[in-house]
Amino acid sequence: MIGAILTQQASWKNVEKAINNLRKGGYLSSFSIYKMPVEQLKQIIKPVGFYNMKAKRLKEFTNYFIEKYNGNISYMKRFETEKLREELLALNGIGKETADSILLYALDKETFVVDAYTIRMLNRLGISDSKDYEEIKKLFESSLKKYKFDGYSTVDIFKEMHALIVELGKQYCKKTPYCTDCPLSEICEKKGV
DNA sequence: TTCCTGCCGT
DNA sequence: ACGGCGGGAA
């Protein structure tokens, strides 16, 4: 959940640095962040960039998580996905992608995460030129839920699919596309871009 | 210089 | 729709 907020428009490498800084000081828990002065938090998470905003966002999130759910993930998991999603979206600094990331990866909720990579991939593949978050989210959810893989839940499949799209976006379907050896080149309209 | 799993305020 | 936020790595 902390990582989901820190990684907004930032590389995961830098998020790891920030998380290691937290761990070093023994601060890698919602309650520690909840108690910590915001100025100290800013210095600790500096490597992620946008640290003034993100320190505030972490405080806002931990306030919510501690006060409403006692900082207890198991307890928070018991509530309905839609209710939790609306609560998260109401927090300052948590938009759709971050909310869905927390729901899917931290709370194991059946909700698909859409990001810039996903939209770009669909556009390049020629599957959809939409930029509407909810529309693309539903496209993946309805499509993926039709499939059953032995030993894998729909939640597992949502997690894996999103992770694979991220890797594709980082290695091949980059801002300036690198199509050499792209695993999707056979089904992509923009071959050899 | 560019880019990094966005989001908010205007 | 657009500017601002930002240090770190390539």
Side-chain angles (χ1 to χ4, degrees):
Chain A
M1 296 191 286
I2 293 167
I5 292 169
L6 291 180
T7 200
Q8 291 168 359
Q9 195 61 23
S11 71
W12 187 254
K13 278 284 179 209
N14 289 337
V15 175
E16 284 179 334
K17 292 177 192 299
I19 288 177
N20 279 330
N21 288 345
L22 286 166
R23 186 178 288 125
K24 251 184 286 172
Y27 301 128
L28 188 55
S29 76
S30 56
F31 192 61
S32 296
I33 292 173
Y34 174 74
K35 288 184 304 182
M36 187 183 305
V38 68
E39 289 305 319
Q40 182 185 359
L41 184 57
K42 287 179 184 178
Q43 299 311 309
I44 291 177
I45 67 168
K46 190 163 275 192
V48 299
F50 302 147
Y51 54 88
N52 288 304
M53 291 174 33
K54 286 178 181 175
K56 272 191 209 166
R57 291 175 180 182
L58 283 180
K59 295 293 274 183
E60 166 130 359
F61 174 76
T62 52
N63 284 347
Y64 158 78
F65 183 56
I66 296 286
E67 289 170 11
K68 192 141 193 169
Y69 297 103
N70 294 320
N72 186 325
I73 291 187
S74 303
Y75 174 56
M76 188 173 177
K77 278 187 184 183
R78 297 180 199 162
F79 295 85
E80 290 182 4
T81 305
E82 262 317 303
K83 166 184 160 33
L84 294 174
R85 191 170 195 261
E86 283 174 23
E87 286 177 1
L88 290 169
L89 289 176
L91 299 178
N92 190 301
I94 297 191
K96 290 175 179 178
E97 182 184 341
T98 307
D100 285 332
S101 296
I102 290 171
L103 290 169
L104 179 63
Y105 289 98
L107 300 176
D108 294 312
K109 293 293 189 179
E110 197 174 289
T111 192
F112 194 78
V113 180
V114 175
D115 59 9
Y117 291 145
T118 312
I119 294 172
R120 189 164 72 209
M121 179 190 75
L122 290 186
N123 181 33
R124 297 233 175 99
L125 289 175
I127 293 174
S128 168
D129 57 353
S130 170
K131 290 177 186 171
D132 184 84
Y133 188 99
E134 300 297 340
E135 185 182 335
I136 295 181
K137 176 183 175 66
K138 281 173 192 162
L139 174 64
F140 273 91
E141 290 181 349
S142 62
S143 302
L144 292 176
K145 274 201 274 195
K146 293 174 187 168
Y147 296 95
K148 287 293 174 189
F149 296 96
D150 212 42
Y152 294 90
S153 65
T154 300
V155 168
D156 290 335
I157 291 168
F158 283 7
K159 287 181 182 175
E160 184 69 7
M161 177 62 78
H162 173 68
L164 290 171
I165 291 171
V166 170
E167 273 315 292
L168 184 83
K170 288 164 98 160
Q171 295 187 43
Y172 304 102
C173 211
K174 309 201 268 194
K175 213 160 201 173
T176 57
Y178 180 77
C179 301
T180 308
D181 297 327
C182 173
L184 298 186
S185 57
E186 294 303 311
I187 61 166
C188 187
E189 283 189 351
K190 304 203 172 184
K191 290 179 191 171
V193 175

